[in-house]
Amino acid sequence: MRPQSPAACPPRLLGLLLCLLLQLRAPSSASELPKGKQKALLRQREVVDLYNGMCLQGPVGVPGRDGSPGANGIPGTPGIPGRDGFKGEKGECLRETFEESWTPNYKQCSWSSLNYGIDLGKIAECTFTKMRSNSALRVLFSGSLRLKCRNACCQRWYFTFNGAECSGPLPIEAIIYLDQGSPELNSTINIHRTSSVEGLCEGIGAGLVDIAIWVGTCSDYPKGDASTGWNSVSRIIIEELPK
């Protein structure tokens, strides 16, 4: 039988032949060989290059570890300054006030039975210590009041502060008016009622303040027979308040 040509060799045998050709040690320089051998070597390399792609690829290797962190680079040069922004809208002006804490300041003067029957003059007095000059005083008188007369009459109960009526803003007062009635009935009317005189007064300086309740006449009316604090408790209450 005729021997088979290399082209007719099985692929497995051809692969072995190629591996043998790869293992051959080539001369260090092709220029040192004769021309015939140089051509044979070139054909050998062409065959190797042709079938080099037929070799199987091996498994993927283990991934390498991260390297050590590099050193910091050279600092960069400063950037170009930014432009000014648009002008904002005008804000509102807010003024904050810091006030000290307010301490209550009040006083009460009371009487079990004044039973004071004067028609004109001071009825009772209570002295108070005002702590601030920019505060207001709240005053209250509570007690029994009575007025009687044969003809029409009017009486006025009011507060004074160190001898003067309140002017900030107005006097603190209360009145009782009794109209003229029949002489028989009018002469016997004698009703005592618990009433109050109350208000706020500003503009009084700090320090001791003498606060008193008085009784007097109404303008353009005659006085009658007045009575204050009959058979009951009467009191003056004074309280300092912030403005």
PDB file of all heavy atoms in Angstrom, residues 82-119:
ATOM      1  N   GLY A  82     -14.951  82.273  41.480  1.00  0.00           N
ATOM      2  CA  GLY A  82     -16.276  82.343  40.887  1.00  0.00           C
ATOM      3  C   GLY A  82     -16.809  83.769  40.813  1.00  0.00           C
ATOM      4  O   GLY A  82     -16.318  84.680  41.486  1.00  0.00           O
ATOM      5  N   ARG A  83     -17.826  83.938  40.015  1.00  0.00           N
ATOM      6  CA  ARG A  83     -18.432  85.262  39.864  1.00  0.00           C
ATOM      7  C   ARG A  83     -19.432  85.522  40.987  1.00  0.00           C
ATOM      8  O   ARG A  83     -19.960  84.580  41.579  1.00  0.00           O
ATOM      9  CB  ARG A  83     -19.138  85.367  38.524  1.00  0.00           C
ATOM     10  CG  ARG A  83     -18.205  85.277  37.323  1.00  0.00           C
ATOM     11  CD  ARG A  83     -18.986  85.338  36.028  1.00  0.00           C
ATOM     12  NE  ARG A  83     -19.954  84.266  35.934  1.00  0.00           N
ATOM     13  CZ  ARG A  83     -20.837  84.166  34.945  1.00  0.00           C
ATOM     14  NH1 ARG A  83     -20.893  85.103  34.010  1.00  0.00           N
ATOM     15  NH2 ARG A  83     -21.691  83.150  34.908  1.00  0.00           N
ATOM     16  N   ASP A  84     -19.685  86.783  41.282  1.00  0.00           N
ATOM     17  CA  ASP A  84     -20.681  87.154  42.280  1.00  0.00           C
ATOM     18  C   ASP A  84     -22.073  86.744  41.804  1.00  0.00           C
ATOM     19  O   ASP A  84     -22.398  86.855  40.610  1.00  0.00           O
ATOM     20  CB  ASP A  84     -20.656  88.662  42.551  1.00  0.00           C
ATOM     21  CG  ASP A  84     -19.357  89.090  43.213  1.00  0.00           C
ATOM     22  OD1 ASP A  84     -18.692  88.219  43.813  1.00  0.00           O
ATOM     23  OD2 ASP A  84     -19.013  90.281  43.124  1.00  0.00           O
ATOM     24  N   GLY A  85     -22.917  86.272  42.766  1.00  0.00           N
ATOM     25  CA  GLY A  85     -24.272  85.885  42.432  1.00  0.00           C
ATOM     26  C   GLY A  85     -25.184  87.092  42.278  1.00  0.00           C
ATOM     27  O   GLY A  85     -24.777  88.247  42.459  1.00  0.00           O
ATOM     28  N   PHE A  86     -26.440  86.816  41.942  1.00  0.00           N
ATOM     29  CA  PHE A  86     -27.418  87.891  41.782  1.00  0.00           C
ATOM     30  C   PHE A  86     -27.746  88.504  43.145  1.00  0.00           C
ATOM     31  O   PHE A  86     -27.746  87.818  44.169  1.00  0.00           O
ATOM     32  CB  PHE A  86     -28.691  87.354  41.125  1.00  0.00           C
ATOM     33  CG  PHE A  86     -28.479  86.868  39.722  1.00  0.00           C
ATOM     34  CD1 PHE A  86     -28.405  85.507  39.462  1.00  0.00           C
ATOM     35  CD2 PHE A  86     -28.319  87.760  38.675  1.00  0.00           C
ATOM     36  CE1 PHE A  86     -28.200  85.048  38.179  1.00  0.00           C
ATOM     37  CE2 PHE A  86     -28.114  87.315  37.383  1.00  0.00           C
ATOM     38  CZ  PHE A  86     -28.048  85.950  37.123  1.00  0.00           C
ATOM     39  N   LYS A  87     -28.032  89.770  43.172  1.00  0.00           N
ATOM     40  CA  LYS A  87     -28.364  90.466  44.402  1.00  0.00           C
ATOM     41  C   LYS A  87     -29.716  89.998  44.927  1.00  0.00           C
ATOM     42  O   LYS A  87     -30.687  89.909  44.175  1.00  0.00           O
ATOM     43  CB  LYS A  87     -28.398  91.977  44.155  1.00  0.00           C
ATOM     44  CG  LYS A  87     -28.602  92.793  45.418  1.00  0.00           C
ATOM     45  CD  LYS A  87     -28.536  94.290  45.122  1.00  0.00           C
ATOM     46  CE  LYS A  87     -28.733  95.106  46.382  1.00  0.00           C
ATOM     47  NZ  LYS A  87     -28.674  96.563  46.110  1.00  0.00           N
ATOM     48  N   GLY A  88     -29.760  89.642  46.223  1.00  0.00           N
ATOM     49  CA  GLY A  88     -30.989  89.152  46.824  1.00  0.00           C
ATOM     50  C   GLY A  88     -31.971  90.267  47.143  1.00  0.00           C
ATOM     51  O   GLY A  88     -31.639  91.459  47.087  1.00  0.00           O
ATOM     52  N   GLU A  89     -33.191  89.843  47.473  1.00  0.00           N
ATOM     53  CA  GLU A  89     -34.218  90.816  47.826  1.00  0.00           C
ATOM     54  C   GLU A  89     -33.972  91.376  49.224  1.00  0.00           C
ATOM     55  O   GLU A  89     -33.367  90.731  50.074  1.00  0.00           O
ATOM     56  CB  GLU A  89     -35.599  90.156  47.782  1.00  0.00           C
ATOM     57  CG  GLU A  89     -35.989  89.657  46.402  1.00  0.00           C
ATOM     58  CD  GLU A  89     -37.354  89.007  46.407  1.00  0.00           C
ATOM     59  OE1 GLU A  89     -37.954  88.929  47.507  1.00  0.00           O
ATOM     60  OE2 GLU A  89     -37.814  88.570  45.345  1.00  0.00           O
ATOM     61  N   LYS A  90     -34.463  92.579  49.454  1.00  0.00           N
ATOM     62  CA  LYS A  90     -34.294  93.230  50.741  1.00  0.00           C
ATOM     63  C   LYS A  90     -35.122  92.517  51.798  1.00  0.00           C
ATOM     64  O   LYS A  90     -36.303  92.253  51.611  1.00  0.00           O
ATOM     65  CB  LYS A  90     -34.710  94.695  50.641  1.00  0.00           C
ATOM     66  CG  LYS A  90     -34.442  95.481  51.906  1.00  0.00           C
ATOM     67  CD  LYS A  90     -34.795  96.949  51.717  1.00  0.00           C
ATOM     68  CE  LYS A  90     -34.512  97.748  52.986  1.00  0.00           C
ATOM     69  NZ  LYS A  90     -34.854  99.187  52.810  1.00  0.00           N
ATOM     70  N   GLY A  91     -34.484  92.159  52.913  1.00  0.00           N
ATOM     71  CA  GLY A  91     -35.176  91.448  53.981  1.00  0.00           C
ATOM     72  C   GLY A  91     -35.935  92.385  54.899  1.00  0.00           C
ATOM     73  O   GLY A  91     -35.792  93.613  54.849  1.00  0.00           O
ATOM     74  N   GLU A  92     -36.745  91.753  55.755  1.00  0.00           N
ATOM     75  CA  GLU A  92     -37.519  92.528  56.717  1.00  0.00           C
ATOM     76  C   GLU A  92     -36.669  92.813  57.954  1.00  0.00           C
ATOM     77  O   GLU A  92     -35.839  92.007  58.356  1.00  0.00           O
ATOM     78  CB  GLU A  92     -38.776  91.759  57.134  1.00  0.00           C
ATOM     79  CG  GLU A  92     -39.738  91.498  55.983  1.00  0.00           C
ATOM     80  CD  GLU A  92     -40.952  90.729  56.433  1.00  0.00           C
ATOM     81  OE1 GLU A  92     -41.006  90.404  57.636  1.00  0.00           O
ATOM     82  OE2 GLU A  92     -41.827  90.445  55.596  1.00  0.00           O
ATOM     83  N   CYS A  93     -36.909  93.957  58.543  1.00  0.00           N
ATOM     84  CA  CYS A  93     -36.176  94.367  59.736  1.00  0.00           C
ATOM     85  C   CYS A  93     -36.928  93.863  60.959  1.00  0.00           C
ATOM     86  O   CYS A  93     -38.064  94.275  61.212  1.00  0.00           O
ATOM     87  CB  CYS A  93     -36.033  95.892  59.779  1.00  0.00           C
ATOM     88  SG  CYS A  93     -35.117  96.478  61.226  1.00  0.00           S
ATOM     89  N   LEU A  94     -36.306  92.967  61.684  1.00  0.00           N
ATOM     90  CA  LEU A  94     -36.914  92.415  62.888  1.00  0.00           C
ATOM     91  C   LEU A  94     -36.079  92.847  64.087  1.00  0.00           C
ATOM     92  O   LEU A  94     -34.860  92.667  64.108  1.00  0.00           O
ATOM     93  CB  LEU A  94     -36.979  90.884  62.815  1.00  0.00           C
ATOM     94  CG  LEU A  94     -37.823  90.311  61.669  1.00  0.00           C
ATOM     95  CD1 LEU A  94     -37.744  88.796  61.697  1.00  0.00           C
ATOM     96  CD2 LEU A  94     -39.270  90.765  61.805  1.00  0.00           C
ATOM     97  N   ARG A  95     -36.738  93.374  65.078  1.00  0.00           N
ATOM     98  CA  ARG A  95     -36.041  93.823  66.282  1.00  0.00           C
ATOM     99  C   ARG A  95     -36.420  92.912  67.439  1.00  0.00           C
ATOM    100  O   ARG A  95     -37.598  92.800  67.787  1.00  0.00           O
ATOM    101  CB  ARG A  95     -36.407  95.270  66.609  1.00  0.00           C
ATOM    102  CG  ARG A  95     -35.646  95.815  67.824  1.00  0.00           C
ATOM    103  CD  ARG A  95     -35.989  97.277  68.039  1.00  0.00           C
ATOM    104  NE  ARG A  95     -37.418  97.461  68.247  1.00  0.00           N
ATOM    105  CZ  ARG A  95     -38.008  98.647  68.324  1.00  0.00           C
ATOM    106  NH1 ARG A  95     -37.293  99.742  68.192  1.00  0.00           N
ATOM    107  NH2 ARG A  95     -39.326  98.729  68.518  1.00  0.00           N
ATOM    108  N   GLU A  96     -35.423  92.244  67.986  1.00  0.00           N
ATOM    109  CA  GLU A  96     -35.662  91.341  69.098  1.00  0.00           C
ATOM    110  C   GLU A  96     -35.530  92.099  70.417  1.00  0.00           C
ATOM    111  O   GLU A  96     -34.665  92.968  70.576  1.00  0.00           O
ATOM    112  CB  GLU A  96     -34.666  90.183  69.075  1.00  0.00           C
ATOM    113  CG  GLU A  96     -34.799  89.296  67.846  1.00  0.00           C
ATOM    114  CD  GLU A  96     -33.844  88.129  67.888  1.00  0.00           C
ATOM    115  OE1 GLU A  96     -33.043  88.084  68.851  1.00  0.00           O
ATOM    116  OE2 GLU A  96     -33.889  87.284  66.986  1.00  0.00           O
ATOM    117  N   THR A  97     -36.385  91.773  71.324  1.00  0.00           N
ATOM    118  CA  THR A  97     -36.334  92.370  72.650  1.00  0.00           C
ATOM    119  C   THR A  97     -36.097  91.276  73.669  1.00  0.00           C
ATOM    120  O   THR A  97     -36.694  90.210  73.610  1.00  0.00           O
ATOM    121  CB  THR A  97     -37.651  93.103  72.988  1.00  0.00           C
ATOM    122  OG1 THR A  97     -38.735  92.161  72.895  1.00  0.00           O
ATOM    123  CG2 THR A  97     -37.893  94.258  72.026  1.00  0.00           C
ATOM    124  N   PHE A  98     -35.185  91.545  74.559  1.00  0.00           N
ATOM    125  CA  PHE A  98     -34.855  90.593  75.609  1.00  0.00           C
ATOM    126  C   PHE A  98     -35.301  91.202  76.942  1.00  0.00           C
ATOM    127  O   PHE A  98     -34.729  92.191  77.413  1.00  0.00           O
ATOM    128  CB  PHE A  98     -33.347  90.317  75.625  1.00  0.00           C
ATOM    129  CG  PHE A  98     -32.841  89.736  74.333  1.00  0.00           C
ATOM    130  CD1 PHE A  98     -32.373  90.561  73.312  1.00  0.00           C
ATOM    131  CD2 PHE A  98     -32.853  88.380  74.124  1.00  0.00           C
ATOM    132  CE1 PHE A  98     -31.917  90.031  72.131  1.00  0.00           C
ATOM    133  CE2 PHE A  98     -32.396  87.833  72.940  1.00  0.00           C
ATOM    134  CZ  PHE A  98     -31.924  88.662  71.942  1.00  0.00           C
ATOM    135  N   GLU A  99     -36.343  90.628  77.488  1.00  0.00           N
ATOM    136  CA  GLU A  99     -36.896  91.150  78.721  1.00  0.00           C
ATOM    137  C   GLU A  99     -36.601  90.193  79.863  1.00  0.00           C
ATOM    138  O   GLU A  99     -36.577  88.976  79.684  1.00  0.00           O
ATOM    139  CB  GLU A  99     -38.411  91.330  78.580  1.00  0.00           C
ATOM    140  CG  GLU A  99     -38.813  92.330  77.500  1.00  0.00           C
ATOM    141  CD  GLU A  99     -40.318  92.488  77.411  1.00  0.00           C
ATOM    142  OE1 GLU A  99     -41.010  91.717  78.123  1.00  0.00           O
ATOM    143  OE2 GLU A  99     -40.786  93.339  76.650  1.00  0.00           O
ATOM    144  N   GLU A 100     -36.353  90.781  81.009  1.00  0.00           N
ATOM    145  CA  GLU A 100     -36.130  89.958  82.181  1.00  0.00           C
ATOM    146  C   GLU A 100     -37.443  89.291  82.607  1.00  0.00           C
ATOM    147  O   GLU A 100     -38.525  89.754  82.275  1.00  0.00           O
ATOM    148  CB  GLU A 100     -35.585  90.823  83.318  1.00  0.00           C
ATOM    149  CG  GLU A 100     -36.502  91.983  83.694  1.00  0.00           C
ATOM    150  CD  GLU A 100     -35.936  92.813  84.822  1.00  0.00           C
ATOM    151  OE1 GLU A 100     -35.210  92.249  85.648  1.00  0.00           O
ATOM    152  OE2 GLU A 100     -36.224  94.013  84.886  1.00  0.00           O
ATOM    153  N   SER A 101     -37.301  88.195  83.297  1.00  0.00           N
ATOM    154  CA  SER A 101     -38.487  87.469  83.740  1.00  0.00           C
ATOM    155  C   SER A 101     -39.276  88.325  84.724  1.00  0.00           C
ATOM    156  O   SER A 101     -38.710  89.051  85.536  1.00  0.00           O
ATOM    157  CB  SER A 101     -38.070  86.145  84.384  1.00  0.00           C
ATOM    158  OG  SER A 101     -37.206  86.389  85.481  1.00  0.00           O
ATOM    159  N   TRP A 102     -40.602  88.214  84.647  1.00  0.00           N
ATOM    160  CA  TRP A 102     -41.473  89.045  85.464  1.00  0.00           C
ATOM    161  C   TRP A 102     -41.795  88.335  86.769  1.00  0.00           C
ATOM    162  O   TRP A 102     -42.234  87.188  86.773  1.00  0.00           O
ATOM    163  CB  TRP A 102     -42.758  89.362  84.703  1.00  0.00           C
ATOM    164  CG  TRP A 102     -43.658  90.275  85.481  1.00  0.00           C
ATOM    165  CD1 TRP A 102     -44.679  89.928  86.287  1.00  0.00           C
ATOM    166  CD2 TRP A 102     -43.568  91.697  85.533  1.00  0.00           C
ATOM    167  NE1 TRP A 102     -45.257  91.045  86.830  1.00  0.00           N
ATOM    168  CE2 TRP A 102     -44.593  92.151  86.395  1.00  0.00           C
ATOM    169  CE3 TRP A 102     -42.727  92.635  84.925  1.00  0.00           C
ATOM    170  CZ2 TRP A 102     -44.800  93.496  86.659  1.00  0.00           C
ATOM    171  CZ3 TRP A 102     -42.935  93.966  85.196  1.00  0.00           C
ATOM    172  CH2 TRP A 102     -43.962  94.391  86.053  1.00  0.00           C
ATOM    173  N   THR A 103     -41.556  89.016  87.874  1.00  0.00           N
ATOM    174  CA  THR A 103     -41.872  88.483  89.190  1.00  0.00           C
ATOM    175  C   THR A 103     -43.181  89.106  89.676  1.00  0.00           C
ATOM    176  O   THR A 103     -43.302  90.334  89.683  1.00  0.00           O
ATOM    177  CB  THR A 103     -40.750  88.801  90.199  1.00  0.00           C
ATOM    178  OG1 THR A 103     -39.524  88.252  89.707  1.00  0.00           O
ATOM    179  CG2 THR A 103     -41.065  88.206  91.560  1.00  0.00           C
ATOM    180  N   PRO A 104     -44.170  88.307  90.043  1.00  0.00           N
ATOM    181  CA  PRO A 104     -45.442  88.879  90.525  1.00  0.00           C
ATOM    182  C   PRO A 104     -45.219  89.800  91.723  1.00  0.00           C
ATOM    183  O   PRO A 104     -44.413  89.534  92.614  1.00  0.00           O
ATOM    184  CB  PRO A 104     -46.263  87.644  90.912  1.00  0.00           C
ATOM    185  CG  PRO A 104     -45.667  86.521  90.127  1.00  0.00           C
ATOM    186  CD  PRO A 104     -44.208  86.831  90.017  1.00  0.00           C
ATOM    187  N   ASN A 105     -45.974  90.905  91.727  1.00  0.00           N
ATOM    188  CA  ASN A 105     -45.893  91.875  92.817  1.00  0.00           C
ATOM    189  C   ASN A 105     -47.301  92.387  93.088  1.00  0.00           C
ATOM    190  O   ASN A 105     -47.884  93.096  92.259  1.00  0.00           O
ATOM    191  CB  ASN A 105     -44.954  93.028  92.431  1.00  0.00           C
ATOM    192  CG  ASN A 105     -44.783  94.034  93.564  1.00  0.00           C
ATOM    193  OD1 ASN A 105     -44.977  93.708  94.734  1.00  0.00           O
ATOM    194  ND2 ASN A 105     -44.410  95.253  93.219  1.00  0.00           N
ATOM    195  N   TYR A 106     -47.856  91.998  94.214  1.00  0.00           N
ATOM    196  CA  TYR A 106     -49.226  92.394  94.550  1.00  0.00           C
ATOM    197  C   TYR A 106     -49.362  92.528  96.067  1.00  0.00           C
ATOM    198  O   TYR A 106     -48.517  92.070  96.845  1.00  0.00           O
ATOM    199  CB  TYR A 106     -50.238  91.371  94.024  1.00  0.00           C
ATOM    200  CG  TYR A 106     -50.056  89.985  94.578  1.00  0.00           C
ATOM    201  CD1 TYR A 106     -50.692  89.590  95.756  1.00  0.00           C
ATOM    202  CD2 TYR A 106     -49.240  89.065  93.931  1.00  0.00           C
ATOM    203  CE1 TYR A 106     -50.513  88.317  96.273  1.00  0.00           C
ATOM    204  CE2 TYR A 106     -49.059  87.793  94.445  1.00  0.00           C
ATOM    205  CZ  TYR A 106     -49.693  87.429  95.610  1.00  0.00           C
ATOM    206  OH  TYR A 106     -49.512  86.170  96.118  1.00  0.00           O
ATOM    207  N   LYS A 107     -50.474  93.167  96.470  1.00  0.00           N
ATOM    208  CA  LYS A 107     -50.723  93.374  97.904  1.00  0.00           C
ATOM    209  C   LYS A 107     -52.226  93.525  98.105  1.00  0.00           C
ATOM    210  O   LYS A 107     -52.943  94.023  97.235  1.00  0.00           O
ATOM    211  CB  LYS A 107     -49.992  94.618  98.410  1.00  0.00           C
ATOM    212  CG  LYS A 107     -50.146  94.867  99.905  1.00  0.00           C
ATOM    213  CD  LYS A 107     -49.359  96.102 100.337  1.00  0.00           C
ATOM    214  CE  LYS A 107     -49.510  96.347 101.834  1.00  0.00           C
ATOM    215  NZ  LYS A 107     -48.758  97.548 102.275  1.00  0.00           N
ATOM    216  N   GLN A 108     -52.679  93.130  99.278  1.00  0.00           N
ATOM    217  CA  GLN A 108     -54.091  93.282  99.656  1.00  0.00           C
ATOM    218  C   GLN A 108     -54.187  93.891 101.054  1.00  0.00           C
ATOM    219  O   GLN A 108     -53.491  93.458 101.967  1.00  0.00           O
ATOM    220  CB  GLN A 108     -54.812  91.931  99.634  1.00  0.00           C
ATOM    221  CG  GLN A 108     -56.248  92.018 100.145  1.00  0.00           C
ATOM    222  CD  GLN A 108     -56.965  90.691 100.074  1.00  0.00           C
ATOM    223  OE1 GLN A 108     -57.881  90.527  99.295  1.00  0.00           O
ATOM    224  NE2 GLN A 108     -56.556  89.729 100.902  1.00  0.00           N
ATOM    225  N   CYS A 109     -55.034  94.897 101.179  1.00  0.00           N
ATOM    226  CA  CYS A 109     -55.386  95.464 102.478  1.00  0.00           C
ATOM    227  C   CYS A 109     -56.884  95.239 102.680  1.00  0.00           C
ATOM    228  O   CYS A 109     -57.679  95.530 101.775  1.00  0.00           O
ATOM    229  CB  CYS A 109     -55.069  96.962 102.533  1.00  0.00           C
ATOM    230  SG  CYS A 109     -53.302  97.356 102.344  1.00  0.00           S
ATOM    231  N   SER A 110     -57.268  94.730 103.832  1.00  0.00           N
ATOM    232  CA  SER A 110     -58.678  94.393 104.062  1.00  0.00           C
ATOM    233  C   SER A 110     -59.122  94.862 105.438  1.00  0.00           C
ATOM    234  O   SER A 110     -58.312  95.004 106.366  1.00  0.00           O
ATOM    235  CB  SER A 110     -58.901  92.883 103.909  1.00  0.00           C
ATOM    236  OG  SER A 110     -58.070  92.161 104.803  1.00  0.00           O
ATOM    237  N   TRP A 111     -60.450  95.072 105.576  1.00  0.00           N
ATOM    238  CA  TRP A 111     -61.056  95.541 106.816  1.00  0.00           C
ATOM    239  C   TRP A 111     -62.335  94.740 107.051  1.00  0.00           C
ATOM    240  O   TRP A 111     -63.132  94.538 106.122  1.00  0.00           O
ATOM    241  CB  TRP A 111     -61.375  97.028 106.719  1.00  0.00           C
ATOM    242  CG  TRP A 111     -60.155  97.873 106.469  1.00  0.00           C
ATOM    243  CD1 TRP A 111     -59.383  98.481 107.379  1.00  0.00           C
ATOM    244  CD2 TRP A 111     -59.604  98.188 105.176  1.00  0.00           C
ATOM    245  NE1 TRP A 111     -58.361  99.165 106.766  1.00  0.00           N
ATOM    246  CE2 TRP A 111     -58.472  99.001 105.403  1.00  0.00           C
ATOM    247  CE3 TRP A 111     -59.938  97.871 103.849  1.00  0.00           C
ATOM    248  CZ2 TRP A 111     -57.673  99.491 104.376  1.00  0.00           C
ATOM    249  CZ3 TRP A 111     -59.139  98.350 102.821  1.00  0.00           C
ATOM    250  CH2 TRP A 111     -58.035  99.149 103.090  1.00  0.00           C
ATOM    251  N   SER A 112     -62.514  94.289 108.274  1.00  0.00           N
ATOM    252  CA  SER A 112     -63.672  93.428 108.568  1.00  0.00           C
ATOM    253  C   SER A 112     -64.984  94.209 108.531  1.00  0.00           C
ATOM    254  O   SER A 112     -66.001  93.687 108.077  1.00  0.00           O
ATOM    255  CB  SER A 112     -63.497  92.764 109.934  1.00  0.00           C
ATOM    256  OG  SER A 112     -63.393  93.750 110.957  1.00  0.00           O
ATOM    257  N   SER A 113     -64.973  95.441 108.986  1.00  0.00           N
ATOM    258  CA  SER A 113     -66.206  96.228 108.979  1.00  0.00           C
ATOM    259  C   SER A 113     -65.856  97.704 109.076  1.00  0.00           C
ATOM    260  O   SER A 113     -65.725  98.257 110.179  1.00  0.00           O
ATOM    261  CB  SER A 113     -67.122  95.816 110.136  1.00  0.00           C
ATOM    262  OG  SER A 113     -68.327  96.527 110.103  1.00  0.00           O
ATOM    263  N   LEU A 114     -65.665  98.346 107.932  1.00  0.00           N
ATOM    264  CA  LEU A 114     -65.349  99.771 107.930  1.00  0.00           C
ATOM    265  C   LEU A 114     -66.500 100.596 108.506  1.00  0.00           C
ATOM    266  O   LEU A 114     -66.296 101.450 109.375  1.00  0.00           O
ATOM    267  CB  LEU A 114     -65.061 100.242 106.504  1.00  0.00           C
ATOM    268  CG  LEU A 114     -63.668  99.973 105.931  1.00  0.00           C
ATOM    269  CD1 LEU A 114     -63.625 100.400 104.476  1.00  0.00           C
ATOM    270  CD2 LEU A 114     -62.608 100.708 106.737  1.00  0.00           C
ATOM    271  N   ASN A 115     -67.693 100.342 107.984  1.00  0.00           N
ATOM    272  CA  ASN A 115     -68.884 101.054 108.449  1.00  0.00           C
ATOM    273  C   ASN A 115     -68.615 102.554 108.530  1.00  0.00           C
ATOM    274  O   ASN A 115     -68.862 103.211 109.540  1.00  0.00           O
ATOM    275  CB  ASN A 115     -69.344 100.516 109.802  1.00  0.00           C
ATOM    276  CG  ASN A 115     -70.791 100.869 110.093  1.00  0.00           C
ATOM    277  OD1 ASN A 115     -71.556 101.211 109.182  1.00  0.00           O
ATOM    278  ND2 ASN A 115     -71.174 100.786 111.352  1.00  0.00           N
ATOM    279  N   TYR A 116     -68.090 103.083 107.401  1.00  0.00           N
ATOM    280  CA  TYR A 116     -67.665 104.476 107.362  1.00  0.00           C
ATOM    281  C   TYR A 116     -68.772 105.301 106.729  1.00  0.00           C
ATOM    282  O   TYR A 116     -69.116 105.107 105.562  1.00  0.00           O
ATOM    283  CB  TYR A 116     -66.370 104.570 106.534  1.00  0.00           C
ATOM    284  CG  TYR A 116     -65.375 105.585 107.032  1.00  0.00           C
ATOM    285  CD1 TYR A 116     -65.121 105.748 108.389  1.00  0.00           C
ATOM    286  CD2 TYR A 116     -64.681 106.391 106.134  1.00  0.00           C
ATOM    287  CE1 TYR A 116     -64.203 106.675 108.839  1.00  0.00           C
ATOM    288  CE2 TYR A 116     -63.752 107.324 106.568  1.00  0.00           C
ATOM    289  CZ  TYR A 116     -63.523 107.456 107.931  1.00  0.00           C
ATOM    290  OH  TYR A 116     -62.612 108.378 108.377  1.00  0.00           O
ATOM    291  N   GLY A 117     -69.327 106.253 107.477  1.00  0.00           N
ATOM    292  CA  GLY A 117     -70.500 106.988 107.027  1.00  0.00           C
ATOM    293  C   GLY A 117     -70.213 108.379 106.526  1.00  0.00           C
ATOM    294  O   GLY A 117     -71.135 109.188 106.413  1.00  0.00           O
ATOM    295  N   ILE A 118     -68.944 108.702 106.172  1.00  0.00           N
ATOM    296  CA  ILE A 118     -68.669 110.069 105.698  1.00  0.00           C
ATOM    297  C   ILE A 118     -69.181 110.233 104.273  1.00  0.00           C
ATOM    298  O   ILE A 118     -69.254 109.275 103.486  1.00  0.00           O
ATOM    299  CB  ILE A 118     -67.166 110.393 105.775  1.00  0.00           C
ATOM    300  CG1 ILE A 118     -66.365 109.489 104.811  1.00  0.00           C
ATOM    301  CG2 ILE A 118     -66.629 110.250 107.181  1.00  0.00           C
ATOM    302  CD1 ILE A 118     -64.905 109.914 104.673  1.00  0.00           C
ATOM    303  N   ASP A 119     -69.491 111.466 103.920  1.00  0.00           N
ATOM    304  CA  ASP A 119     -69.981 111.782 102.576  1.00  0.00           C
ATOM    305  C   ASP A 119     -68.883 112.379 101.696  1.00  0.00           C
ATOM    306  O   ASP A 119     -68.984 112.331 100.467  1.00  0.00           O
ATOM    307  CB  ASP A 119     -71.137 112.767 102.644  1.00  0.00           C
ATOM    308  CG  ASP A 119     -72.305 112.232 103.473  1.00  0.00           C
ATOM    309  OD1 ASP A 119     -72.492 110.991 103.452  1.00  0.00           O
ATOM    310  OD2 ASP A 119     -72.992 113.035 104.117  1.00  0.00           O
TER     311      ASP A 119
END
